[in-house]
Amino acid sequence: MRILASTLVAVSLLVSSLPARADEEPWRAARAHYEHGVELANKGNYKAALDEFNAAYAASPHFAVLYNIGQAEVALGRPRRAIDALSKYLRDGKDDVPAPRRQQVQAQIAQLESVFASLTITTDPPGAQLTLDGVEIGRSPTDAPRRLSAGSHVVTATRPDGPVVTRVVSLAEGEQFTLTLTLPPSEPRILSMQCWELGAQPILDGEPVDVAKAGLGVPVAAGRHRVGFTSPERRWPEQFVEVPPGVRATVLCGTVPAASHDKAPAASASGGFPTGYVLIGAGAAVGVAALVQGIWNGGRARDWETEQASIDADHSSGRYARQVANNELADSIDRASAVTVALTATAGAMVAGGIVWLVLDAPAAAKPPPERAKLRLPVSLDVGRGSAALSFRGTW
């Protein structure tokens, strides 16, 4: 689809007939950009013409320029932006837009919208985080239908305590489709608290827990929890644990005597497993995800190049629709590339952080515990005629 020179000239005459404005210098600059844009459009250089129209509107915003911006976007195969510009043209122009022109623009907007499909996304239960073609779009349900190009689109729904649900939706031009994703139940987090000493009372986040239930395991919410044990004779230091969804974790009371309960709490909720290794492992997993997405997105980029070469050689009436779809694919590839870069940076930061953590934690782990003071009691026995005496002294 191309902008007709006669249409652009007509709008140029419309703008030139408007009265002069008080801010004469911006108006003259806008007019110069506008006239240059019309000249470029008449020569078929629509990209440069669009730049000039945008510069004219930035210098002195006038609704009439929006018409040419919209037509340039149409010629460049970007119907979304064209619809936005032409709709704003009608809104801002109001009664100043002649009735024949308003009808013509409304018909053009309707034609442009007909190449799009409409997608509404809901989940059961609601509140899941939604991702559409690799871009987060908020939580379900979506507040309004999403206007998309015809073709296949990837929808992902996630919850903190549940698995990821992904669907591929194929939409036809003008189709209005509602996608409902049924999410599986949340995966429980179970925490078991056990102690070798009879009578020890488990304490979870400052509250006592029934011993039998604690041994079998109790459900816990997401986040970090404090676990401790106490008895009439001693109190064990608190341990800190964060249970992943779908995991059953066990915390033991340990063998630390009561005198040490004022010291720093036990290091790890996962049985003392170094945090540095956890960070390195998580970073490796994120790096693998970034690699997989990069390979997938690279294949899409090759598909775009192949399709673009075919479009350039196509002179049939279906060329415009193919160009629109390929432009949408290019935008999706750019967004997915940004996600890949973010995942790669995150993986590198996590691995580096884990290595630093291990290096800094190694001296403390290697340091032997302080030697306990020993009880020393020197004893002496004096025996005399008809008497005996026992004496002792000591330190501990």
Side-chain angles (χ1 to χ4, degrees), residues 43-98:
K43 295 178 180 179
N45 191 351
Y46 300 109
K47 179 64 175 66
L50 178 60
D51 293 339
E52 290 295 322
F53 293 146
N54 284 326
Y57 190 77
S60 181
H62 191 279
F63 76 91
V65 184
L66 293 169
Y67 179 85
N68 285 64
I69 292 176
Q71 299 302 326
E73 295 287 9
V74 170
L76 292 172
R78 298 190 292 213
R80 280 180 198 271
R81 299 181 183 180
I83 292 172
D84 293 339
L86 294 175
S87 299
K88 184 173 176 57
Y89 165 74
L90 295 179
R91 288 196 306 270
D92 294 356
K94 298 180 181 178
D95 295 337
D96 291 334
V97 178

Side-chain angles (χ1 to χ4, degrees), residues 8-18 34:
L8 293 173
V9 171
V11 179
S12 177
L13 294 175
L14 174 62
V15 174
S16 63
S17 65
L18 295 174
Y34 184 87

